[in-house]
Amino acid sequence: MELKSDAIKFGPSNAAHRSLFHALGMTEEEMNRPLVGIVSSYNEIVPGHMNLDKIVEAVKMGVAMAGGTPVVFPAIAVCDGIAMGHVGMKYSLVTRDLIADSTEAMALAHGFDALVMVPNCDKNVPGLLMAAARLDIPCVFVSGGPMLAGHVHGKKTSLSTMFEEVGAFNAGKIDAAELRDYELHACPSCGSCSGMYTANSMNCLTEVIGMGLQGNGTIPAVYSARIELAKHAGMAVMKMLEQGVTARKIMTREAFKNALTVDMALGCSTNTMLHLPAIAHECGIDINLDIANEVSKHTPNLCHLAPAGRTYMEDLNEAGGIYAVMNELDKRGLIERDCLTVTGKTVGENIAGCAVRDYDVIRPIDNPYSETGGIAVLRGNLAPDGSVVKRSAVAPEMLVHEGPARVFESEEEAQAAIDGGKINPGDVVVIRYEGPKGGPGMREMLTPTSAIQGMGLGGSVALITDGRFSGATRGACIGHVSPEAASGGPIGIVQEGDIISIDIPNYKLELKIPQEEFDRRMAAFTPKTKELSGYLKRYAQLVGSGASGAIVNK
């Protein structure tokens, strides 16, 4: 079998290269084997990544057992929870492209024959999937796994609860001692935070697409089964190399359709509507928001994991995991069964016999939470290019809502008004200039959305933004409003007190002013600009619309 790494390992012309391999302590026997890169996202600041050193060691063992030479190199990661609510969140989404670019550079510069990706949190997973698509070599993903749920007052809890309790404290609903109790018990272990937030959404969808083994999205970080999974991932990539199976043979249009379908059934984070189009773009496949709505119309919502409900990733794992969800959807013919996966088998072969073990966690296909999916794309004169809402996490009374706009030019302005008790029942909070260009970096808005929930306003107040919301957000929170204000979008002309109409069942988001007034404001509108420097300045110049995945250099 001819390998990419042969070009730098054999023959007199590569003696200098071999001398550097010897400098690494690499033996001739190791040089004669396939060179398998292991992309480690380990660091000591992200709870979802603090255990990845153990995952990486297990992957190395799996690769070596299957006849490869494992070599580790790093990828960066940002903890969205720690970055939330301050300038740090501007540096979250932007790392997706840094991760993709740096992994591409390392892999091609060193002639790796295959890669095992070891991510876990929000931007690591899509960034490494983008890199896998660009490189189109054998790649397997094995994440660090989800965090266990916390326990407070005898009930399971998670990071989203923690943020909401801060709002409850500010509203005088709980005291400092109770807030401290949540603080100490909401996040009890390493791993990606325990609800169906962005990290877990993307790890589950990696499994659906076929780039991760069974359990990649759901086996808890602290379970020994996660170590076993990592060893099998190392073995699987060697089998892929032998069989000539590469990333783009797996990540096909049909595979992305499966991802969108399961996304709707699970009620994943709205951020998947940023990441799936960006990953597909690297595969030469176009996914737009209209496709998402079409899939949603035919896909029942089977799961209400936190923040939409009171079940957590550990519960989904015990109920049968992602394969059980797919098997349930397959009963209605909603799964593309012939897609190839990293197992060397098709999706249909993988999910055969994977029955649901707990129908309280994964609803049966004939008794779903709703006949439509967990995410909806809204359009209208306020969002002509689209906007996104996690429909499954919206209170029934807020699915249709009209109210006066409360307009803020940044997250900080909105947060100050919320904390100051200036938001009233019925209001529609508008946060603009937080999009990919305008932020820049399209910050998540978990702090204001959680404050609204914690204050007891989640059933009467909506939020809309050209930024985005955390996967931990619940309520009538509509993000990705496109075009964004910084690009001249209509969200930039909304004035205080304007009536905004939200109709999620009919996919509508409208600014209720006369057409003549709308046209007059648009003609007079000049977007605000910000003084930028460093990486954010370059990112703002290159990034595209949130409606198409915030793709850089499209």
Side-chain angles (χ1 to χ4, degrees):
M1 176 174 56
E2 188 174 342
L3 301 169
K4 289 182 181 293
S5 62
D6 290 350
I8 59 171
K9 293 190 301 189
F10 300 123
S13 62
N14 288 319
H17 298 78
R18 289 195 299 277
S19 71
L20 294 171
F21 282 118
H22 284 299
L24 292 169
M26 193 176 288
T27 66
E28 297 283 352
E29 290 84 356
E30 288 174 299
M31 282 188 237
N32 287 332
R33 294 178 172 187
L35 197 63
V36 180
I38 301 172
V39 187
S40 171
S41 303
Y42 168 76
N43 64 45
E44 295 182 340
I45 190 62
V46 184
H49 291 232
M50 62 183 285
N51 65 318
L52 295 189
D53 55 339
K54 297 176 178 61
I55 303 296
V56 166
E57 287 303 313
V59 171
K60 287 174 67 176
M61 184 173 291
V63 169
M65 285 192 295
T69 297
V71 182
V72 179
F73 66 88
I76 63 169
V78 165
C79 176
D80 278 20
I82 294 174
M84 195 70 66
H86 60 97
V87 69
M89 182 46 72
K90 293 179 184 284
Y91 287 89
S92 173
L93 179 60
V94 303
T95 65
R96 186 185 72 183
D97 296 276
L98 283 176
I99 292 162
D101 293 347
S102 59
T103 301
E104 174 193 355
M106 287 293 289
L108 291 177
H110 301 102
F112 286 107
D113 299 305
L115 297 176
V116 180
M117 310 292 201
V118 187
N120 209 27
C121 288
D122 296 33
K123 310 312 169 300
N124 261 145
V125 185
L128 291 178
L129 282 165
M130 289 163 67
R134 289 182 196 174
L135 295 165
D136 195 26
I137 60 177
C139 294
V140 175
F141 280 66
V142 54
S143 75
M147 183 184 291
L148 294 177
H151 290 83
V152 179
H153 303 320
K155 295 181 179 179
K156 288 184 177 181
T157 188
S158 61
L159 183 67
S160 56
T161 312
M162 184 70 248
F163 271 92
E164 289 178 14
E165 292 305 318
V166 173
F169 172 77
N170 289 334
K173 294 179 178 291
I174 63 171
D175 60 20
E178 188 164 2
L179 182 64
R180 175 71 170 166
D181 195 16
Y182 275 98
E183 176 186 334
L184 294 176
H185 299 104
C187 299
S189 75
C190 62
S192 46
C193 297
S194 57
M196 189 52 79
Y197 313 143
T198 305
N200 291 327
S201 295
M202 290 309 304
N203 283 320
C204 288
L205 296 185
T206 299
E207 191 176 329
V208 177
I209 289 171
M211 292 295 290
L213 298 173
Q214 183 180 9
N216 178 68
T218 60
I219 297 172
V222 296
Y223 282 16
S224 298
R226 177 63 57 176
I227 300 298
E228 296 178 31
L229 184 73
K231 292 175 184 175
H232 283 297
M235 295 181 223
V237 83
M238 293 303 296
K239 185 176 179 181
M240 290 176 69
L241 184 59
E242 180 184 336
Q243 295 178 343
V245 177
T246 61
R248 285 194 212 166
K249 291 180 180 178
I250 292 171
M251 290 194 282
T252 62
R253 182 174 297 278
E254 291 74 22
F256 283 104
K257 182 174 182 291
N258 279 342
L260 285 167
T261 298
V262 177
D263 187 336
M264 300 304 168
L266 289 173
C268 288
S269 163
T270 53
N271 286 313
T272 61
M273 294 296 102
L274 282 176
H275 300 321
L276 289 176
I279 298 160
H281 173 72
E282 299 291 350
C283 297
I285 298 167
D286 180 51
I287 291 180
N288 59 43
L289 296 184
D290 292 324
I291 296 171
N293 260 359
E294 188 60 29
V295 171
S296 181
K297 286 178 184 177
H298 300 99
T299 306
N301 178 224
L302 304 182
C303 299
H304 269 191
L305 292 113
R310 296 188 176 277
T311 52
Y312 296 83
M313 295 306 296
E314 63 199 61
D315 302 312
L316 179 59
N317 187 62
E318 294 304 316
I322 299 306
Y323 278 15
V325 175
M326 295 176 76
N327 193 39
E328 195 67 22
L329 292 168
D330 191 45
K331 292 177 181 178
R332 197 176 284 182
L334 296 173
I335 295 296
E336 299 285 347
R337 297 173 53 85
D338 294 332
C339 296
L340 185 62
T341 72
V342 294
T343 66
K345 298 178 181 179
T346 65
V347 165
E349 291 173 313
N350 285 344
I351 67 175
C354 295
V356 175
R357 295 196 292 263
D358 187 344
Y359 278 116
D360 288 333
V361 177
I362 304 170
R363 286 278 188 94
I365 193 75
D366 56 0
N367 184 31
Y369 285 102
S370 69
E371 285 293 343
T372 52
I375 289 176
V377 174
L378 313 184
R379 293 183 186 272
N381 67 355
L382 193 50
D385 291 347
S387 61
V388 182
V389 64
K390 189 170 183 174
R391 171 169 44 191
S392 60
V394 178
E397 61 270 24
M398 290 298 291
L399 290 170
V400 177
H401 178 76
E402 278 196 7
R406 306 297 309 280
V407 181
F408 304 98
E409 307 297 306
S410 69
E411 178 185 2
E412 288 83 358
E413 283 188 20
Q415 190 63 46
I418 294 166
D419 291 343
K422 297 178 180 178
I423 303 302
N424 304 308
D427 284 350
V428 178
V429 176
V430 177
I431 308 174
R432 61 194 179 196
Y433 292 101
E434 291 288 4
K437 289 181 182 292
M442 206 178 188
R443 284 193 287 183
E444 290 184 346
M445 307 285 179
L446 181 58
T447 304
T449 61
S450 297
I452 290 289
Q453 291 290 336
M455 292 170 141
L457 296 172
S460 61
V461 169
L463 295 92
I464 71 169
T465 182
D466 52 8
R468 61 197 177 98
F469 294 116
S470 166
T473 289
R474 64 189 175 103
C477 301
I478 301 162
H480 310 196
V481 171
S482 301
E484 60 177 294
S487 295
I491 191 173
I493 67 166
V494 180
Q495 296 179 3
E496 187 82 5
D498 285 346
I499 298 300
I500 292 176
S501 173
I502 299 165
D503 186 347
I504 295 173
N506 289 304
Y507 310 103
K508 292 290 185 182
L509 180 63
E510 296 279 348
L511 176 61
K512 306 289 281 189
I513 61 174
Q515 186 62 46
E516 303 81 37
E517 174 66 8
F518 184 94
D519 293 341
R520 185 192 66 76
R521 291 188 196 177
M522 287 298 294
F525 177 44
T526 300
K528 296 180 180 181
T529 58
K530 297 177 181 178
E531 288 294 322
L532 300 171
S533 62
Y535 180 52
L536 289 182
K537 181 177 182 178
R538 186 164 76 251
Y539 183 84
Q541 291 170 342
L542 298 175
V543 70
S545 169
S548 57
I551 295 168
V552 170
N553 273 338
K554 185 173 183 181

